[in-house]
Amino acid sequence: MNEEQRRPSTKDYSKYFDFSNATIDINEDGQEIMKIGGRRIKINEQPNYRRGQRRRKDVEVYYDFKIPEDMQSIGNGKKYYIRTYGCQMNVHDTENMSGILEELGFTSTDTTDDADVILLNTCAIRENAENKVFGEVGNLKNLKKERPEVVLGLCGCMSQEESVVNRILQKHQHVDLVFGTHNIHRLPHLLKDAIQGKEMVVEVWSKEGDVVENMPRRRQGKIQAWVNIMYGCDKFCTYCIVPYTRGKERSRLPEDIIHEVRDLARQGYKEITLLGQNVNAYGKDLDEEYGLGDLMDAIRKVDIPRVRFTTSHPRDFDDHLIDVLAKGNNLLEHIHLPVQHGNSDVLKLMGRKYTREEYVELARKIQAAMPHATFTTDIIVGFPNETEEQFQDTLSLVKEIGYDSAFTYIYSPRDGTPAARMKDNVPHEVKRERLQRLNALVNELSAKSNEALQDQTVEVLLEGESKKDPEILAGRTRTNKLVNVRAPKASIGKLVDVKITDVKTWSLNGEMVAYSEVQNV
């Protein structure tokens, strides 16, 4: 990959900024450097929503990632700390950044106190998530005063927002590095500039990146692994910022994914989760006719005990995928199928492109093919113009489908999305009251679903110690229910049969009966 060709121009800052105190200097290398409030800022590219909305036709796949020789030891004797906010995709990105930093010589630390590089990997999906990040950025200002040599970086989805980068430039000039979701592979170059230069470094690509394979990765744990199969989303739901922060849908090649899964199986991983912002749109951009159903049918034949996938969009959940999932074996019976609302008029305003009736028909089709499957979902309350009658439609849908659990949210306007231009006319106290009613119903259904497992024996993958009691191990069933069980520590990472002895709203307690897989002696 020719990085000089990929790096955008730093010309014409005026189309991005309106800072009355900004000036342009020339640095030692002859590059233009913006100066704001005494802080020199090197801007390779600033996010732009209009450009971020464009969808590219062609995406390149690169296998030539490598750490330049002059950067391979810049982290020797130094430590890094990454705080991750948001979804599984951000966790996966953190694994890649950790791998890159360790290739540079850094070692990880669990605290900011002794870190030489601090990265905040951010989420933009809700306003509350952004507030937490800016709170942390403010908290780290004192650390920067005490240890100015520390490199503080902001990355992830928030970095792809114009308003966020402008706020950083104006109010948080103790930040040293800002980069986005499309140029993680550029981290060695950006970090070198931030360490050796005298200016803040900003490089956020509005044009989504290509697919970069073979980046180093430091996975979290040896039991479960995230496997990214595609990037981006083309749905443009009216409330959602993801198509702007993550870009066009880009699928990895099937052979690269299957190779990664086989390698994880050889390493002894017991469960993988296939990731994508819209995972069942996988393959639509490939030259060949190859979708998620084809990919999962191939992975079904790999010797790895458990395979999950997230997150689905109902519009792309086709019959072939259902037929493949119904084959079972290592393909698990847990379907996360975000609905967002139970009223067709609100769904239309949301830009979801399906009706309530179409969603219910899909759910019934999946249930018919997979009778033991559990459903979870995402639901938003208080969308602009939502009436009490429309909210009641959401409650009735939750009852009709019988979700095991749901991620529920109060509507949060995202700057730059179409819904942000709608009048947010549902009072906040009404939104909170509706959320409470929705959560009460979800809790009731979850408890009822768990009660059906009393005295039943289920397969559980033991993931580690319980957060509340180190003497108790915790794991999940095939249908993604949390189980706490008293078992030997040597059982961590094993598949075991557990008899359920006590049921709660959100978890199950049980006794280990036997190992459900052959043990190596």
Side-chain angles (χ1 to χ4, degrees):
M1 189 187 314
N2 187 332
E3 293 299 341
E4 292 305 316
Q5 292 178 352
R6 295 297 307 278
R7 292 177 66 175
S9 171
T10 63
K11 307 290 186 183
D12 193 12
Y13 298 107
S14 60
K15 62 185 177 183
Y16 302 129
F17 306 108
D18 184 23
F19 300 148
S20 58
N21 63 339
T23 59
I24 301 296
D25 286 348
I26 304 297
N27 73 0
E28 295 81 356
D29 298 322
Q31 295 174 308
E32 289 185 347
I33 301 295
M34 176 179 285
K35 183 182 286 187
I36 300 176
R39 180 77 196 271
R40 301 205 318 166
I41 303 171
K42 179 181 179 182
I43 300 180
N44 293 338
E45 184 174 356
Q46 163 81 350
N48 181 285
Y49 277 148
R50 180 164 296 186
R51 283 184 291 141
Q53 189 173 3
R54 297 170 187 163
R55 309 284 94 170
R56 297 169 58 204
K57 292 184 178 180
D58 299 316
V59 174
E60 298 292 334
V61 180
Y62 291 94
Y63 298 91
D64 58 351
F65 177 88
K66 62 181 180 180
I67 304 293
E69 290 186 9
D70 63 335
M71 303 179 196
Q72 290 176 0
S73 60
I74 65 172
N76 286 358
K78 298 179 180 180
K79 297 181 180 180
Y80 74 92
Y81 172 87
I82 305 179
R83 177 164 294 176
T84 308
Y85 303 80
C87 68
Q88 299 96 330
M89 192 69 73
N90 276 17
V91 174
H92 186 270
D93 287 346
T94 289
E95 291 180 339
N96 281 337
M97 289 187 287
S98 296
I100 290 172
L101 288 167
E102 295 192 6
E103 288 282 322
L104 294 171
F106 290 91
T107 57
S108 65
T109 178
D110 295 328
T111 175
T112 58
D113 295 339
D114 62 347
D116 299 281
V117 172
I118 300 171
L119 298 179
L120 304 181
N121 188 7
T122 63
C123 173
I125 200 73
R126 302 256 182 302
E127 183 179 12
N128 186 49
E130 291 195 2
N131 291 339
K132 288 181 180 179
V133 171
F134 277 118
E136 184 65 13
V137 169
N139 293 336
L140 290 169
K141 189 170 185 177
N142 288 333
L143 184 146
K144 279 288 292 182
K145 288 181 179 179
E146 296 171 5
R147 298 170 57 212
E149 72 279 4
V150 173
V151 173
L152 173 58
L154 188 80
C155 56
C157 291
M158 277 178 62
S159 300
Q160 297 288 154
E161 296 184 88
E162 296 175 13
S163 59
V164 167
V165 175
N166 288 343
R167 182 173 172 180
I168 292 291
L169 292 170
Q170 290 176 311
K171 299 181 179 180
H172 300 284
Q173 293 185 27
H174 59 287
V175 174
D176 301 288
L177 175 60
V178 181
F179 61 100
T181 60
H182 305 324
N183 58 335
I184 289 174
H185 65 286
R186 291 264 306 147
L187 180 56
H189 304 268
L190 302 175
L191 192 58
K192 180 184 177 184
D193 285 348
I195 292 174
Q196 298 182 357
K198 300 177 182 179
E199 54 268 340
M200 180 196 297
V201 178
V202 178
E203 181 176 296
V204 183
W205 293 356
S206 295
K207 175 180 69 65
E208 66 274 358
D210 293 308
V211 175
V212 181
E213 297 285 353
N214 301 330
M215 277 196 286
R217 184 175 298 122
R218 180 180 184 263
R219 295 191 184 274
Q220 298 182 2
K222 296 290 185 181
I223 302 169
Q224 299 158 300
W226 309 109
V227 178
N228 190 278
I229 67 170
M230 66 177 301
Y231 306 88
C233 180
D234 288 347
K235 285 293 182 284
F236 285 100
C237 300
T238 59
Y239 56 84
C240 187
I241 198 70
V242 168
Y244 305 90
T245 62
R246 289 285 178 175
K248 169 188 166 59
E249 291 174 352
R250 293 102 67 204
S251 300
R252 294 177 63 197
L253 297 178
E255 55 266 31
D256 293 330
I257 298 168
I258 294 169
H259 173 78
E260 182 178 345
V261 172
R262 285 175 175 160
D263 184 58
L264 290 168
R266 283 192 293 269
Q267 294 180 52
Y269 282 85
K270 295 298 175 66
E271 180 177 299
I272 62 168
T273 301
L274 307 181
L275 289 182
Q277 260 79 33
N278 180 16
V279 71
N280 48 351
Y282 173 79
K284 286 188 172 183
D285 58 319
L286 298 177
D287 293 335
E288 56 185 313
E289 289 189 9
Y290 193 96
L292 181 60
D294 301 294
L295 180 65
M296 296 201 76
D297 206 21
I299 291 176
R300 184 177 61 86
K301 301 166 187 174
V302 178
D303 186 20
I304 198 160
R306 290 185 166 193
V307 180
R308 302 186 188 274
F309 65 103
T310 195
T311 285
S312 298
H313 192 291
R315 287 273 294 175
D316 294 321
F317 214 116
D318 60 35
D319 290 347
H320 179 51
L321 175 59
I322 295 173
D323 291 341
V324 171
L325 293 175
K327 296 178 181 179
N329 191 18
N330 60 351
L331 307 182
L332 301 186
E333 304 88 5
H334 169 233
I335 306 297
H336 187 69
L337 195 63
V339 65
Q340 306 302 354
H341 208 275
N343 177 271
S344 294
D345 290 336
V346 177
L347 288 172
K348 185 175 181 179
L349 282 176
M350 289 179 164
R352 293 294 287 176
K353 296 182 175 64
Y354 56 80
T355 65
R356 173 196 174 112
E357 291 74 21
E358 288 169 339
Y359 180 93
V360 171
E361 181 183 358
L362 171 63
R364 295 297 177 235
K365 189 182 296 185
I366 296 171
Q367 288 172 330
M370 305 168 63
H372 302 295
T374 59
F375 283 80
T376 56
T377 195
D378 298 340
I379 299 174
I380 296 171
V381 302
F383 193 76
N385 300 308
E386 181 191 62
T387 66
E388 173 63 24
E389 291 74 18
Q390 290 170 333
F391 172 69
Q392 288 291 335
D393 286 343
T394 292
L395 295 180
S396 67
L397 177 72
V398 170
K399 292 178 183 177
E400 184 173 359
I401 300 299
Y403 296 108
D404 265 43
S405 65
F407 296 98
T408 59
Y409 310 94
I410 288 175
Y411 168 69
S412 175
R414 299 285 76 208
D415 183 41
T417 63
R421 298 192 293 270
M422 302 178 188
K423 186 177 180 180
D424 189 9
N425 53 4
V426 181
H428 186 68
E429 58 271 20
V430 173
K431 294 179 183 179
R432 290 184 60 183
E433 189 271 339
R434 288 176 183 172
L435 182 67
Q436 290 171 356
R437 280 191 281 159
L438 174 60
N439 286 341
L441 175 59
V442 171
N443 291 349
E444 178 186 330
L445 294 174
S446 177
K448 183 178 179 181
S449 174
N450 283 351
E451 287 170 4
L453 293 176
Q454 178 71 48
D455 298 326
Q456 300 296 310
T457 298
V458 294
E459 179 192 273
V460 176
L461 174 60
L462 294 177
E463 300 169 9
E465 297 176 355
S466 167
K467 294 180 180 179
K468 296 182 178 179
D469 185 349
E471 297 302 314
I472 300 295
L473 301 185
R476 292 193 176 269
T477 66
R478 290 176 61 92
T479 54
N480 208 39
K481 292 181 180 292
L482 177 63
V483 180
N484 296 301
V485 56
R486 192 174 296 277
K489 294 289 177 68
S491 302
I492 294 176
K494 306 291 186 182
L495 289 164
V496 300
D497 292 330
V498 175
K499 182 179 180 180
I500 302 303
T501 58
D502 183 32
V503 299
K504 300 180 180 179
T505 299
W506 294 112
S507 64
L508 305 162
N509 295 337
E511 298 174 348
M512 178 175 165
V513 176
Y515 288 101
S516 54
E517 57 182 337
V518 177
Q519 301 300 301
N520 295 323
V521 180

